Amino acid sequence: MSNFPKPENALKRAEELIVVGQKSLAHQTLHDIITGKRYKTWSPVLNDIMLKYIELSVEMRKSKQVKDALYQYKGTTQNVNVGSLETVIRHFISLSERAAADAQSRAKQIQVDAIEDLDEEEAPESLILSAVTGEDNQARAERESVTPWLRFLWETYRAILDTLRNHSKSEHVYHETAQMAFAFCKKYQRKTEFKRLCDILRTHLSQLSKQQGQTSTGPHHNVSLSSPQTIEIHLETRFAQLNVAIDLDLWQEAFKSVEDIHQLLTLLSGRGSRPQHWATYYEKLARVFWVSNNYLYHAHALYKFYTVSRTYNKGLSQEDIQMLSTRIMIAALSVPPTDSTKSRNDQILEVDSQRDKMQRMAQLLGFPGVVPTREQLIQELVIKKVHTVVFPAIRELHIELEKRFQPLTLAEKVKPVLEFVAKTAEAAPASTDSASASNPLSGATLRQYLPALERVAFLRVLQQLSQVYDTIRLTEFARLVNFISTGTWETLLIEVVRRKNMGLRVDHQQGALHFNSISLDSDNIRERLTQLGKNLSEADRMIHATPSSIAEAQKEAEAKAKVKKDLFVKIVNALGDEHRRILARKIIIEKWKEYYENLERAQAEVAQTELRRINEAKQAAEAKRLEEDRVRREDERKKKAEEERIRAEVVRTAQGLGMSLDNSLLSKPDIDAQTVVREHISQLQKARNEMEKKINMQGKRLYHLERARRQEEFKVLSQLRSKTNEEARKHHEEQMVQFMEDHKKQHAVALEDKARLTRMEPDIKAFMAKVQARRDAEYKKHKAEMDRRAAERKAHQEEEAARRREEEERLQAEAERARRDREQGEANRRQEEEDKKRGEEERRKKLDDSAAMQRKREAEIEQRSRER
């Protein structure tokens, strides 16, 4: 480890090593200074050392060492100057990004410079390498020069995120770095690194959540999730993460990001959560559910978005509301209808296998422990009268699919609606910035619901036909579902049979479709047999009814009614006892709950006591170690103080003489001021002699060279002057002859053109007048439009300026109110301290007075005893 009396010396030594090419040694020198225990007090020199160290680390691609240095520098600056740490980190990021960009540009330049012969398509060496490795020149160049720098840039982001993961004063730098890392993954399509980045951020957030219980005993600079501002900035980062995940088509990571956002929004709820966050959250969640083919939750997410937008977004126009309502209604109708033909066992097995997954997704929509259904959503839309706002065609589609039973005409009524949806999707214009800000679910996305709507309409036709027919011809069935192709409805039939939604059998020989609604499930058979038995008994009773049997049936009914009445009376009489029994059980449960709460509280107190004892032992050991370190440092300081005094005297002497000292001279054990003076005199005399000798030699050499050059130059210049004059005269004469001939030819051609074009002059003037008039009209129209836009822009800017002034005045008022509260609290605290001090002095004075009186009484008693 390098040993320097001051950090300035280490920086100077590193610069000298860089000049002579010893960059590795310079890097190690600065690393020892930063990570050493000697310089733990921040100074501007340490900032310069850190910047130089960052430059060397980037140049040498030493990511692990720079991570350790950043961690040590964070401990040095976190209580003194956090801005220095932020400057170093931003410098580190800028250098790394610049190095990666330079490497990429160099790789492209290498690819161009490697082409030696432009006529040859590709060199033989490149063909052999591409055949062996399967890579072209560009891929090899990027792997050799660009990939290491991209890896270093990725490690740079990771190191900074790990360093600042729990530092409240640099929290904004942490999130800025995360945003830069997202942009890096998106720019270079780094999907693997993006997954790791999401895991890193998720791990950091979970660690912050676990540390919230220890905030009171932890360092004061730890990040606290109880602050709304902290949660807000975390939400912005998670929304950016979600956008990048969607852009990279990483839908699993997008779903995890949605879960993170829901967790943060849950923490922020009740403490000033903004509706914009919830709206963006539900919009992204709907997109994720749609990609995962979960149409039910997609529709519920859209309905949540619709509710938030209608409640808080006052800028929605009637067209936006109609389009948004249409989108939600189409999404709800696109959900496949609930399967009612499955057996009870199948439904139980399905719930058991998917319950956790469905409840997990339901919690993201605000349905804890409850799985929403299609019927609930459509009923909610009808209650909120959303179906009255949509397009008339969509309202008619809702009536046809959900309320009417017309299997023979359903296709004729559904097909125009599907065509309307397709035309609406094609005719919807691209949304502008303002439109997308108010309604991001524009009409241009309605096309995505066409396949789902066709599927739902097909299932409705199939269900209604199965309730009317046992067998239907395939040609007739194809006519009834003519809104989809033959291949599509055959595929859907196979899927229906595979999912056991309906009993079907296709007979291609007879060209018929057979419906088989009888299931072989035991539950269905038992229910159908029970119902059949009841119906047959009722029919037999009605057929063979006689007066006596009718009377017996009446008596039996009266007996059953009496039994039922007696049973109800018993239940009413037992209600009091049952109520008292329930109350007693409630008291017992409350006692057990209190017992377990006391037991848990006692266990927690024991654990807290043990933890306190361990912390006290650790603190005592740490105090002992610190005392030993202090004694050792004091001894080293005294030992080095004398050496520093001698060296300082030597340095002052050298500085007074204007002499530069090197390490070899300073490392001598017997060096003093006289030695420095003698060495300086010797160096000056030697330098003077060498300088005089060099000046004399250079003067002689320059004199001889200049004299010889001028003698030879005179001869050459004379010959060259005469030759140049002769050549210039001949060239001038030739040029003048050629110029005259060309000028005469051009003049003749010009006269011919003038005679030919003179006839066209009136037409040209008329055309120019017509063009000038049209352009004047266009100019005036364009100028009027620009004036109008400028006026609108100026009005908008004035409104925005007024809004900003109001916001600044509000913030200033809040700051002034907070300052007054702090001053009032400080004044109260000082008054309490003065009152306490005054009371202490009065109590002490009373005690002194009572002691004096006691001593006086004792003296009087003693004097009386002596007098006696």
Side-chain angles (χ1 to χ4, degrees), residues 174-175 178-179 182 198 200-206 232-244 256-258 260-261 264:
Y174 173 85
H175 291 281
Q179 298 274 5
F182 293 149
C198 294
I200 290 171
L201 296 178
R202 200 169 292 114
T203 303
H204 291 173
L205 183 60
S206 64
E232 285 280 349
I233 194 171
H234 273 281
L235 277 174
E236 293 178 1
T237 303
R238 290 310 185 280
F239 276 122
Q241 173 182 327
L242 177 58
N243 292 331
V244 176
K256 293 180 181 178
S257 302
V258 167
D260 296 339
I261 294 172
L264 292 171

Side-chain angles (χ1 to χ4, degrees), residues 255-256 259 355-364:
F255 183 78
K256 293 180 181 178
E259 289 183 324
R355 179 182 299 150
D356 295 338
K357 178 180 177 182
M358 301 298 286
Q359 289 183 354
R360 179 183 172 188
M361 292 188 292
Q363 288 178 355
L364 298 178

